[in-house]
Each structure stands twice: as C-alpha cells, then as structure tokens.
Amino acid sequence: MKKPLAILLSLAMLLAGAAAAEAKITLKVANSGPDTPENRTVCAADVYTDMVRKATNGEVELVFYHASKLGGEAEALEGIQMGTIDMGTLTSGPAANFVPQTMVFDIPYLIGSSPAGWEFLKSDFVKKLSDEFLKKTGVRILGIAEHGFRHFTAKGAELRTPADMKDLKIRVMENPAHMAMTRGLGASPTPISYSELYMALQQGVVDGMECPIANIHDSKFYEVQDSLVLDGHLYGPLVIFINEDKFQSLTPAQQEALYKGAEAFCIVHAGITAASDAAALKDMADKGMKIHELSPEELAMFRNAAQPAALEIIAKRIGQDWVDGAVKAASEAEAKVAGKEQALMDECIREAQEMVKIARGQ
C-alpha cells in the first residue's frame, strides 16, 4: 500500500508544480535603448523586474527585450495595441500617430529643470493625457519617466544666444514643431537620419544638431562638434505602456505591483540619467568641448524666439486647451520645486543608485 501512496503523492506534487508554472505570468516588455548593464533603462528595468517579482511572490515576471529586439518604437507600440507585445518602455515619438495630444511634449522650453519635469509628469494634466491615450488606443500608461532634455551643438560657433544660431544648418527630427522652433531661433532645420548624422557633421553637411546629453556623449558627437549650449529646449519622456486587456487579466494585487514598480522605474531612470549626464558633461569638457549653461536672461531669449511658431503648429493639431493645460501644469510644477532643485536631484541620484544595488544583489 505504501508504494501506490508514494506514487500518488509524487503525482500530486508534479501536478501542483505544473499548475504553479501555468499560473506564472510572463510579460514581454519592448525597449529600444542599448542592452548594456550601465544603461539607465537597463538599470531601471532590473529594478522594475525585481520589485514586481517580489511583490507578486514570483507570479508575474517581466522580461525586457532591449535594443529593439521586438521592433522599432512605432512597431512596438502597434504590437502593444494589438496584444502581440505585452508592455513597452518607449519614447513619446510614435505616440503622436496614435493620440495627437501627446504633442504637448513638443512644446519648446516647457520644462525648466528635471525636478520640475518629474512633478509635471505626475500632474493631473498628464493623468488626463494618459486617460485620453487609454480611451483612444486600448493601451494603458503605467508611468512616465524622464528621458532627458535635448540641447543644441555646433561647430565653429559658440552658442550662447539665438543670434549665434543665425543661418546655421541644424539637424533636427522631421517634426513640424521642431522645425518651426529651429527656424524661430534663426537657424535652418535640416532633417537627416540619425544613423547618418555623425558623417553629416564630419563632412559639414550640417553645422550642428540637437540631442540629449547621453546621445551627444555616447555617439561621440563631441569629436565633430566643439560647442554645446545647455538650453534644454525639449523635455523628453519615456513612457511605460501596457496592453489594457493584459492589464485587466491580472489580479488587483498584481496590477498594484506593476504601478508600484513603474514608480520605482521612473525614479531610477531619472537618477541614473542625472548622474550619467553630469559625468558625460565633465568628460566632454575635458576633451575640449565648450559647454555653456544659460543664464535666466539668455534662456528667456531662446524661449521667446522659439516658442511662438511651434505653439501655433501644435495648437492647430491638438487644440489650444491642451496647450494651455500643459503650460499651466508646467508652471505649477516649476513653482512647487523652486529653490529645491539641487537637493531633489541629489536625493533622486542616491535613491536610484541604492535601488539598483538592491535589485542586483550588490
């Protein structure tokens, strides 16, 4: 009798194990950034994965596919909408093709500092934007992280005021608002594929370009550009998307774990961005690049020159109410962090680095 009982017990354990394995949910997450351990999105992804795994007792596992392994950003967002991809950490670039209101992120000089940006991304206005996105696409936004400010570079001209940009050929993305902004600054906007940009700068096809600090440094654009102005003309988001049907298939506790993990992702992404940007700026300065940080008066000159034409284009596309709402929310965010920016930056960097250590067992 003992032998059949042992066999039954073994079968029961196998069936229980199979049921547990079946119950485990694996979510595929698309990301276009590099797949290197020090990359800010990889760091944030490791924290997100660890937090969700622990919060759900291993019931939910996030598997990130970095370096566009699931396709480019537009393709990935389409996949999330269709349900062939569960989640994605993607920039807002392709989002405007789905919901034009996301063009509020194309308003030049909307955000003045990273801490103000973090407050803006948590605002009721951005929640309203997220609700609009869900309603129109069936894709939920779990959180929005800072992807970084974009800045202008040039060769042969030290950029300090809009007058220094007059008649320069500046590479921009093929975005009507970005091109209008660049014309407003007196430069000639010239769309060029990012993959061809280094050679275009090297050969003088264009005089300058605009990118986040991480791109300028990691793509070694400082080798073919000698001036950088930290004007922060655009503040880019990195959005955490999830297919709504997939989200609704989860338990309330699992949904809460995804939201809590998304909060941590945003903190880590912002903190690692801040730390790596500071290191990159020092390295580029050491290599001879002239880096100019604008005074409030100089920044006002850039904003006043660049905003009007871009705002007109954006308002025509999405409506003046959305533009006014974004500007109001940004102003309120600026007021909330005024005078505390550096302390908030330092705390975010510390918290981000600690979270990464915990997630990686260091």
Side-chain angles (χ1 to χ4, degrees), residues 226-248:
D226 49 33
S227 176
L228 163 64
V229 59
L230 299 176
D231 70 306
H233 50 272
L234 293 169
Y235 182 74
L238 188 73
V239 188
I240 306 170
F241 297 105
I242 185 170
N243 174 273
E244 179 65 2
D245 290 339
K246 176 61 72 173
F247 181 79
Q248 293 301 336

Side-chain angles (χ1 to χ4, degrees), residues 1-72:
M1 290 294 291
K2 286 182 181 178
K3 194 170 183 180
L5 182 60
I7 292 170
L8 286 171
L9 285 170
S10 296
L11 282 170
M13 289 173 69
L14 284 169
L15 288 169
E22 232 175 78
K24 182 174 179 178
I25 299 163
T26 300
L27 300 176
K28 294 191 300 183
V29 190
N31 178 58
S32 295
D35 191 2
T36 55
E38 70 278 4
N39 178 266
R40 55 190 176 166
T41 312
V42 174
C43 291
D46 287 350
V47 170
Y48 200 177
T49 302
D50 182 62
M51 286 189 68
V52 170
R53 185 189 299 123
K54 288 174 179 174
T56 63
N57 296 314
E59 293 170 355
V60 180
E61 184 77 18
L62 303 184
V63 179
F64 277 79
Y65 293 82
H66 300 290
S68 299
K69 290 186 180 74
L70 297 180

Side-chain angles (χ1 to χ4, degrees), residues 112-127:
S113 71
S114 286
W118 308 335
E119 287 297 328
F120 175 76
L121 294 175
K122 293 184 290 186
S123 68
D124 289 341
F125 171 81
V126 172
K127 184 182 183 305

Side-chain angles (χ1 to χ4, degrees), residues 134-179:
L134 175 59
K135 183 173 71 176
K136 289 188 174 178
T137 65
V139 175
R140 179 177 291 266
I141 292 174
L142 293 169
I144 307 181
E146 175 183 305
H147 196 246
F149 287 94
R150 300 180 75 88
H151 309 280
F152 288 108
T153 71
K155 183 176 182 179
E158 193 168 348
L159 304 180
R160 289 176 171 271
T161 71
D164 299 322
M165 296 186 64
K166 185 172 173 54
D167 298 329
L168 294 181
K169 288 180 290 182
I170 302 291
R171 182 269 178 185
V172 297
M173 291 186 285
E174 200 163 354
N175 176 308
H178 296 192
M179 295 175 76

Side-chain angles (χ1 to χ4, degrees), residues 68-95:
S68 299
K69 290 186 180 74
L70 297 180
E73 289 201 319
E75 187 180 356
L77 189 50
E78 287 174 6
I80 296 166
Q81 186 179 37
M82 292 187 295
T84 55
I85 300 172
D86 301 308
M87 295 177 61
T89 50
L90 310 168
T91 69
S92 63

Side-chain angles (χ1 to χ4, degrees), residues 263-305:
E263 287 179 19
F265 179 100
C266 293
I267 291 169
V268 173
H269 208 271
I272 300 300
T273 295
S276 61
D277 279 359
L281 285 172
K282 182 180 184 307
D283 187 54
M284 290 191 290
D286 290 344
K287 287 179 165 63
M289 192 173 211
K290 296 183 182 71
I291 299 172
H292 180 62
E293 190 163 356
L294 296 176
S295 68
E297 294 75 20
E298 290 169 336
L299 178 59
M301 291 170 66
F302 274 86
R303 183 188 296 112
N304 294 338

